[in-house]
Amino acid sequence: MKSPMTSIDDVQLRLAGQDYVCGRALATVIYLALTLNRPLFLEGEAGTGKTEVAKAIAATLGRRLIRLQCYEGLDASSAVYEWNFAAQMVAIRRAEATGETPPDLFSDDFLIARPLLEAMKPQPGGPPVLLIDEVDRTDAPFEAFLLEALSDFQVTIPETGTVRAPEPPIVILTSNRTREVHDALKRRCLYHWVDYPTHDREMEILAARAPEASAALSREVVAFVQKLRTEDLFKKPGVAETIDWAKCLLALDMIDLSPEVIADTLGALLKYQDDIQKLHGSEARRILDEVRAEVG
């Protein structure tokens, strides 16, 4: 088991070792969540690096990452466990054919553990990192269930009983704020809003994730994306899109931006046709001219 993070500076240093550039405020709330064994609730626009926080923490601590991807209609049983009905039927038919006593159909042999149950079990290397991703996609009943599960770090399987975590997992919840998550769930957690990075921090992120990009190209890319976020778009590009776009430009052997190459690669940066249409032609040229005037 790797050593725990011992200070806020240690959090920043060790996450940087996983190519995750972490600001002081986020590092502080991560340190407190780990020290106090409190769930961490990260909210912000899509593409600002919330999911990557959980991945970086798991990697730097040498813990298993268990991800529960939330979606509309997700219920408690789907998040906790299910029974392997096909295997149960085979066992019953085999017992009928051989005249043997059927096995216990509600034993661990037939249990399929889903993320919440898996996170309650002992794991090599220590308690896992449980990522409950995009919790805002679920509904109020599932939030109520999560509140109970995270309060006691236990889940109940009606056929076999309650499973309690010997050590609480490191829990990270994310929300893109497509709807408001109930206050009761937020109160159970330490909260942090993950905003779009500043120009300087996005330069650091790009240097970590696309180190082969020249300083000149990185400056233009970051300045263009930062300017683009001030435009009236349906979906503003996140950090993930900045990284993807830079890598696309590198794959095309681009050393600087031009209106033509911007038009050709907008699909890496914007994900809605209406937004892409706005940036074709004179708009892309206008933004690029403004960027170059600022970059100098």
Side-chain angles (χ1 to χ4, degrees):
M1 183 190 303
K2 296 183 181 179
S3 62
M5 301 188 199
T6 56
S7 67
I8 297 168
D9 290 337
D10 189 38
V11 171
Q12 289 185 291
L13 181 63
R14 292 174 65 176
L15 292 188
Q18 300 299 324
D19 292 335
Y20 190 91
V21 179
C22 181
R24 179 109 185 148
L26 178 55
T28 300
V29 76
I30 291 172
Y31 173 72
L32 291 173
L34 295 175
T35 301
L36 302 176
N37 288 326
R38 292 281 299 278
L40 176 58
F41 191 100
L42 300 176
E43 196 166 40
E45 298 292 339
T48 51
K50 301 181 296 295
T51 299
E52 294 300 315
V53 172
K55 294 178 180 179
I57 290 173
T60 197
L61 292 178
R63 307 291 180 86
R64 180 183 174 192
L65 176 66
I66 298 175
R67 181 175 182 174
L68 173 61
Q69 179 60 55
C70 298
Y71 54 86
E72 186 177 354
L74 176 65
D75 58 16
S77 61
S78 300
V80 179
Y81 77 100
E82 66 177 309
W83 293 107
N84 189 336
F85 294 117
Q88 287 173 325
M89 291 301 299
V90 169
I92 291 171
R93 289 172 181 166
R94 184 183 296 114
E96 289 174 347
T98 61
E100 297 175 354
T101 303
D104 180 1
L105 298 178
F106 296 107
S107 66
D108 287 346
D109 292 339
F110 300 100
L111 183 67
I112 300 173
R114 294 305 184 196
L116 288 183
L117 176 58
E118 199 66 34
M120 301 299 168
K121 296 179 177 181
Q123 303 288 335
V129 174
L130 172 61
L131 170 61
I132 303 174
D133 216 6
E134 299 183 330
V135 69
D136 53 316
R137 291 180 178 271
T138 61
D139 51 23
F142 186 75
E143 281 186 31
F145 165 75
L146 271 184
L147 183 64
E148 181 181 357
L150 297 181
S151 295
D152 300 324
F153 292 107
Q154 65 181 32
V155 292
T156 299
I157 302 172
E159 297 86 350
T160 61
T162 298
V163 178
R164 185 180 181 87
E167 292 183 77
I170 298 167
V171 181
I172 298 175
L173 302 94
T174 74
S175 167
N176 293 336
R177 209 175 187 181
T178 57
R179 68 170 181 84
E180 286 294 335
V181 174
H182 198 280
D183 286 347
L185 183 58
K186 285 186 176 181
R187 283 197 301 270
R188 180 70 186 83
C189 309
L190 297 181
Y191 176 88
H192 185 78
W193 174 264
V194 183
D195 209 345
Y196 293 118
T198 63
H199 177 279
D200 289 347
R201 189 156 311 277
E202 197 155 16
M203 283 290 292
E204 291 180 52
I205 294 169
L206 198 55
R209 294 301 184 93
E212 61 274 27
S214 69
L217 179 62
S218 295
R219 280 195 297 271
E220 283 197 345
V221 165
V222 169
F224 189 91
V225 174
Q226 293 264 328
K227 183 72 69 175
L228 203 54
R229 292 186 187 128
T230 67
E231 299 292 315
D232 182 21
L233 299 175
F234 182 76
K235 172 64 179 69
K236 294 176 171 59
V239 180
E241 283 75 31
T242 304
I243 296 167
D244 285 347
W245 192 39
K247 289 181 176 179
C248 288
L249 295 171
L250 288 169
L252 295 172
D253 295 324
M254 293 294 121
I255 58 173
D256 57 14
L257 295 179
S258 68
E260 294 75 24
V261 76
I262 291 171
D264 290 342
T265 57
L266 275 176
L269 196 57
L270 301 173
K271 307 303 179 182
Y272 288 89
Q273 177 58 26
D274 288 349
D275 290 343
I276 292 174
Q277 198 64 38
K278 285 181 183 179
L279 265 293
H280 270 296
S282 60
E283 276 301 292
R285 184 180 296 278
R286 174 186 65 80
I287 295 173
L288 183 58
D289 288 344
E290 291 177 5
V291 164
R292 286 183 170 157
E294 291 177 4
V295 171

